Amino acid sequence: MITSVAKSRSIPNVVIPGSRAFFSTVVGGVRSQEASQSSTASSTINEEGVWSQFDKRSESLKIKNPILRNELLHGIDPAKGPLTLKKGLSKMKYTSPTGLDEVFPLAYNFLQETAKEKYSQVTEIESQIAAETDEAVKTQLLKKKNQLIIDAEKFNPEVAYKAQFSNPENLNLDELVYQYYYKTKNFEGFNKMLLMQRIEQLHVLPDAIPTINPSVELKVKFINESGVNKYITPGDILSSRATSKPPIFQVNYLNIDEALKPSDKFTLLVVNLDHPNTKTNSYDITLNYGVKDVSFQHNNQVLSFDELSQGEFAEYLPPVPEKNSPTSRFVTLLLKQEEGPLATEKLNFNRKDFALADFLTENKLVPVGINVWRSKWDGNVKNVREMYGLPNGRVFHRVRR
Amino acid sequence: MLTNTIKLQSGLGLSLSQRIMPASASISSMMAGTISSQFTRGKRTKSKSTMSQGTQRVVGQLSVMSAARKQPLRLKLTNEDLVRHQVVHNAWAMLQKQKRQVREEKLTKQFEAMQSAMEDLKHGVEDGGVLFGFGSKFEKTKKRVSLELRVPTEYPPNQVWNHKYSKSD
Amino acid sequence: MLRNSLRTTNSVCVRGFSTSSIARLAEPIENVKTKTPIDSISSSLFLSRVPIVTPTLGEFEKQYYKYQDELQRRLMWSFPYYYYFKKSSLAEAAFFKNQKWPISKEEGVFYPKGTPNIKHLRERSEKQVINVKEEEDENSKFKKESDVVKPIVPNSRITDADVKKDLKSLERKLDSTLYLIVQDKKSSEWKFPSFKYNAEERISALDEYATENIQNISQKDFNMFTVTNTPIHVVKYDSSNKVVNNASTNVASKEYIIKSHILAGDFVLNQKESQFKDYLWLSGEELPEYLSKDYYKQVEFLLADY
């Protein structure tokens, strides 16, 4: 039971650890030049610099919560405690490391100055681009400009905070700096490695396509009453109930060097790599879903049914694996159409025995994004078949009958 | 031995001797392992360890190097402070990078200037190559930096500059 | 690489350097068709006094070091006092007397800044401060001892010469390199001291010629260290004695610069016996005030970092 509070006034002998007066004496002798010189009055950050001119820059580069923004730029108020700590006790207990509040404004102003220099270089390059006619030089300049914009913003504390601690799904990936952070930290730092491991272990490479270096993150999510409302981890085994309705997709275009153009068209395919074929004693690829001429207005775009229905050339067929057949791999591919829009009448394919490789070469499609999930037979397959008016499934046995 | 006896008689006994003086190494090691009914100065009543004196000393020395019980609590920063720390770190790295770039540029320029001066000395002077010969001559023994060159210190020495130099010395 | 290539003296051309960037400053040989006569050549001396103290830190650097120092102290292991002071010894008692102990945890007390967590007499959530200074005791018999150990007071980084703004002193601007510049009697222009060759005399090496001449015009002796016998730069002039900046202009005279450091003694100009009327020791920042614009542009990159 607490009988008293350790305040120097109420209990004379008790000193509160953590209070500044706790250790008053410093080790004797002169340590260094800077210790002997009395420190000047603490400086403040320049709030009229390039990082604060929000009339010229996107609001997404700003932290919306004014208290959090204030803490980030001016330090934590010891009377109130940090905002990010929830418990009152830990708020009270917390102290910032000594010296941080003094050095931060100087560091901030220094970095802001270098950012200002980079922005002036950007405007210079912009005028060069406007005057340039050679396409190759233009792309080179554009590349340089993008890098400069990233370099000017990546050390901005507000940007760095948002990139590290906010929900990556809410990041405005149209801002190059967020694209850079998402690409290096979230995608290449984790998601891409996981994806590549899964598609190699499941032999999606080379069963579906020979190889791929995804420059686009393709995320798949099934929304229905039974499914879990989150983007699937590549290689998940999903129930037939969850996959009974078409998925929605999110596409994160992460190619910083090559800007996304609204004229770029993409094709989206969902194929099953393991449809058993007893005649050939092997497996066929079947086409479960096909959409063409998909375009993106902005990055981080979610593709749902409405947007996809226009270019649909193969309606969604849910996974209905046969009983006792091995787990089927369902691969989602995002393909860039090299030669603009595709004509429906020219598309030549057989859904039941889909020649994936030929389809890609015929229509000049280049894979840029990939994802995979797995399905196997469960008790609900029968209902899904009824829902879509599909014939009864087959049952396989250890010895073929 | 006299003092011991007195203490024993005075009844202050073990507690006092323990408090005032630490166990003398030589005496206690002599007594270790022997059963004695006689009181010995500095002998601990409760021997906590069965380690010998030497081993105990080694353990003490090793404990100095060990992190056990000496590590401070982990420095936990909130997200705000972590980002603020990163800003400081990045600014420092940026400053060092800028300094390095300036220095490298300057060194390249100095190297090139030496080149062009020598080139000029070889082809652009009417001296029959004498100056170029001198300029590109190297002593067989390595030229050493003079010992009298001082390394900069944080504060100046008491005699800032030696004004009393004489050639005849 | 520099050494090896230059060692090839007269027989092999200096082009032995295989750097592509040479072409930028080095003139192509074809352009140097006109050879300058020896009496239009001078040896110039780039004499500097190296800094005596470390560079003065900027505000950011100062605060950064302070912050890092605090972090390091916060993360240091506790001091193993039991190893250095024998238990119950006088030394231990003296050590304990000087320390301010952290408060320990007590039942029923609320600690707003966190419950004390003490190991080896150190509050683990704080940096540990060890006091080593002996406290002055008026009644102590050993008072004299403290007289022996005087507190260390460092010398000031700013000297009298700085205060008086004595531009001829070698004791000014201790934190930066000083360069010797001299004023010509005829043209009144400030330059690094340079000495023209005489066609009738025997030609001596550039470094020897400059060193000898500078010592001759000084009233006092001084010791210097010439870094290399290779010139570090060449400054060219046209017939009207203006600095030549581009390769196309005709060159009338040249100054080869030799790099050297003054080590001891003073340079005091003997005005009567020399072609110069005044001299100054200036830091790199002050040079542009005195040197002509063209000349400064030519030698700017030779100046040290600080």
Side-chain angles (χ1 to χ4, degrees), chain C residues 207-221:
Chain C
D207 55 325
E208 281 169 23
Y209 192 69
T211 325
E212 228 168 75
N213 276 288
I214 195 85
Q215 308 256 19
N216 288 344
I217 59 165
S218 173
Q219 292 174 11
K220 279 175 122 184
D221 284 350

Side-chain angles (χ1 to χ4, degrees), chain A residues 33 36 71-76 82-84 94 96-97 101 103-104 107 110-111 114 155 157 161 164-165, chain B residues 75-98 154-155:
Chain A
Q33 170 197 337
S36 66
E71 275 187 355
L72 199 60
L73 298 183
H74 302 282
I76 293 160
L83 183 76
T84 44
Y94 185 80
S96 293
D101 289 349
V103 70
F104 177 81
F110 173 74
L111 285 175
T114 58
F155 295 143
Y161 187 92
Q164 288 178 82
F165 302 113
Chain B
L75 183 62
K76 286 180 192 158
L77 298 183
T78 59
N79 293 348
E80 301 98 304
D81 272 349
L82 185 63
V83 171
R84 283 162 74 78
H85 174 84
Q86 286 168 352
V87 165
V88 172
H89 173 81
N90 289 330
W92 181 255
M94 177 82 86
L95 184 68
Q96 300 310 308
K97 190 182 165 193
Q98 282 179 1
E154 209 152 356
Y155 293 97

Side-chain angles (χ1 to χ4, degrees), chain A residues 33-35 37-40 43 102-103 106-107 110, chain B residues 92 95-96 99, chain C residues 54-67 157 175 306:
Chain A
Q33 170 197 337
E34 54 271 11
Q37 291 169 1
S38 60
S39 67
T40 50
S43 40
E102 284 77 40
V103 70
L106 298 159
F110 173 74
Chain B
W92 181 255
L95 184 68
Q96 300 310 308
K99 279 185 181 172
Chain C
T54 47
T56 306
L57 299 175
E59 189 57 32
F60 171 53
E61 284 165 316
K62 223 187 283 177
Q63 293 292 349
Y64 178 80
Y65 283 132
K66 225 174 181 175
Y67 173 52
R157 287 163 63 95
D175 61 346
Y306 76 97

